[in-house]
Amino acid sequence: MSTPSSPLASPTSNANRHRRRISLPPWKGAKPIPLAISILIGILFRFAVPKPHQLSTKAWQLLAIFLTTISGLILGPLPVGAWAFLCLTLTVVTKTLTFAAAFAAFTNEVIWLIVASFFFSRGFIKTGLGDRVALCFVSWLGKNTLGLSYGLALSEATISPAIPSTTARAGGIFLPIIKSLAVTADSHPKDDSAKKLGAYLVQSQLQCSSSSSALFLTAAAQNLLCVKLAEGLGVKISSKWLTWFKLSCIPALVSLLATPVILYKIFPPEMKDTPDAPLMARRRLDQMGPIKSDQWVMMIVMLVTVALWISGEALGLASVITAMLGLSLLLAFGILDWDDCLSEKSAWDTLAWFGVLIGMATQLTTLGVVAWMSNAVANFLKSLSLHWFGAFCVLQSAYFFIHYLFASQTAHVAALYSAFLGMCLASKVPALFAALALGYNTNLFGALTHYSSGQAAVYYGAGYVELRDVFKLGIIFALINIVIWGLVGAGWWKILGLY
């Protein structure tokens, strides 16, 4: 029989019961401190910093909200898409923008081209075509560690124009293959054996991915965004795909070929020969069997799509229309089904926050904010008596190394590309030269840190490379790429008459 509660129960037990009654559920909302800092930055800028007479109150208020948005992208009070939507709502609630102006960018062709590109990436991974291409290169070149790294790097460069997400290539194709090769060689993450093979292959692939992404316009989402923002500032780029490739091919290939051997010297693997790697690759290829019908369809559709991207301007066919045709064929042939598209969260997340950032950047340009900032910096550089090339070098360096503050290449572009391009134009830097150099630069800082890009986070998360090595190699290869692109690239562009 239960004993009734005693009126003389101890104060301690009463206090415990009271604490249990008033305990609150764990907070699931925005992180309080990052949220407070992000909002405070916008409020202080809006009300504490004097508004220049050249700008309207609406323009100044939008700039304050934009700074809050970018602060949130860096500090992360909410997931990127959720934070972008919250800030977009703020622009409408405060009547800084009308509903139509706030959502105008969601009809932007570049955004939908990026969304369609994510679906192509899923098709490559779903059909196993990406794995097959990578394994073929490993079987051909993988007899030693250096050859193995070249096989992986060249295979990524081969498929990169058809998979415009470096993160998808890293997580869906190359990291699983690298892990399999490393484990076969008895090289394990977070272990003394990591440097036997895994650490070198992971770091080599990460550093080479910067060159692969810079090589083709459709190799990375941020490339397409750069071109769109450049056009918004009046920079004319004819035959976009071909122009991008023609100017990038020499410096990107030099960097791609130099990276594995330089890394081999300064961050050498303990295992020099990998006789089992080609055997493993051939064994995996044998398990896959002959090329299947869905892989043939995927290959043909992507070859046709890339060919139309190259020749689209001559045919009067926009890149986004080409992407829509390619995606429609993949759906019609059953390579992808609609559930594949619906479950591609990264595509829809990108649509949300890209739309917000492009919309804000466009409105800042329309309201004269970008022109005001550009002229202010250009006048300062002019006061230093810098030639346009000197101003260009200063701005490019600042644009590059400020990426230590960013955890996303696309967020960096949305936040700073228009402003830095505007400063270059105001400093009399040739327009196409400035626009494309900033675009290539955007790819090169993707391996600067373990948080500087999606692919950097994927490769670091594998556990093979220690954090101090990530930072050390990041800055070393940043400087190497600056030298390669500064000498080889600038020389090649001079030959082509770009400046």
Side-chain angles (χ1 to χ4, degrees), residues 121-372:
S121 301
R122 190 174 185 90
F124 252 84
I125 294 169
K126 181 181 178 181
T127 61
L129 184 58
D131 285 342
R132 184 180 290 276
V133 171
L135 289 169
C136 285
F137 274 92
V138 171
S139 68
W140 297 333
L141 301 173
K143 291 182 180 179
N144 55 59
T145 303
L146 188 59
L148 188 56
S149 65
Y150 274 113
L152 292 167
L154 293 174
S155 61
E156 179 168 9
T158 302
I159 65 175
S160 63
I163 305 183
S165 169
T166 320
T167 306
R169 297 197 298 268
I173 297 174
F174 291 99
L175 183 59
I177 291 175
I178 289 172
K179 290 170 75 172
S180 179
L181 290 166
V183 170
T184 301
D186 200 26
S187 177
H188 302 282
K190 299 179 180 178
D191 186 80
D192 291 340
S193 63
K195 290 189 176 180
K196 186 176 182 181
L197 181 64
Y200 170 77
L201 290 182
V202 164
Q203 197 62 25
S204 174
Q205 196 67 14
L206 170 60
Q207 296 298 337
C208 286
S209 68
S210 299
S211 301
S212 300
S213 298
L215 186 57
F216 301 103
L217 176 62
T218 51
Q222 63 266 14
N223 298 345
L224 299 163
L225 182 57
C226 288
V227 168
K228 179 61 181 177
L229 293 175
E231 289 181 331
L233 289 178
V235 180
K236 303 299 181 185
I237 306 175
S238 60
S239 303
K240 299 178 186 63
W241 203 97
L242 278 175
T243 298
W244 181 285
F245 176 71
K246 182 172 68 175
L247 293 169
S248 70
C249 60
I250 299 301
L253 288 173
V254 169
S255 179
L256 187 68
L257 294 174
T259 296
V261 70
I262 293 173
L263 185 68
Y264 193 83
K265 296 294 184 182
I266 64 176
F267 190 66
E270 294 173 2
M271 176 180 281
K272 309 300 182 183
D273 296 311
T274 54
D276 292 336
L279 297 175
M280 188 216 75
R282 284 193 285 270
R283 190 161 53 246
R284 290 270 298 274
L285 288 169
D286 289 340
Q287 291 171 356
M288 289 182 176
I291 299 179
K292 299 178 177 60
S293 58
D294 58 350
Q295 293 178 341
W296 279 115
V297 172
M298 185 74 211
M299 191 186 309
I300 293 169
V301 168
M302 287 314 307
L303 287 174
V304 170
T305 302
V306 171
L308 289 176
W309 274 334
I310 295 171
S311 58
E313 191 158 318
L315 299 173
L317 201 61
S319 296
V320 68
I321 303 301
T322 298
M324 290 171 65
L325 286 172
L327 178 58
S328 297
L329 288 173
L330 294 179
L331 290 168
F333 281 99
I335 305 303
L336 293 174
D337 56 46
W338 192 238
D339 283 340
D340 290 324
C341 296
L342 292 176
S343 60
E344 190 63 37
K345 293 181 180 179
S346 56
W348 302 115
D349 185 51
T350 300
L351 172 66
W353 71 276
F354 256 36
V356 172
L357 291 174
I358 290 180
M360 285 190 184
T362 301
Q363 290 298 319
L364 286 171
T365 302
T366 302
L367 294 171
V369 175
V370 173
W372 166 73

Side-chain angles (χ1 to χ4, degrees), residues 456-476:
V458 167
Y459 285 124
Y460 175 70
Y464 279 97
V465 185
E466 295 181 10
L467 193 57
R468 65 174 181 272
D469 290 325
V470 172
F471 276 91
K472 180 180 72 176
L473 295 172
I475 189 62
I476 289 173

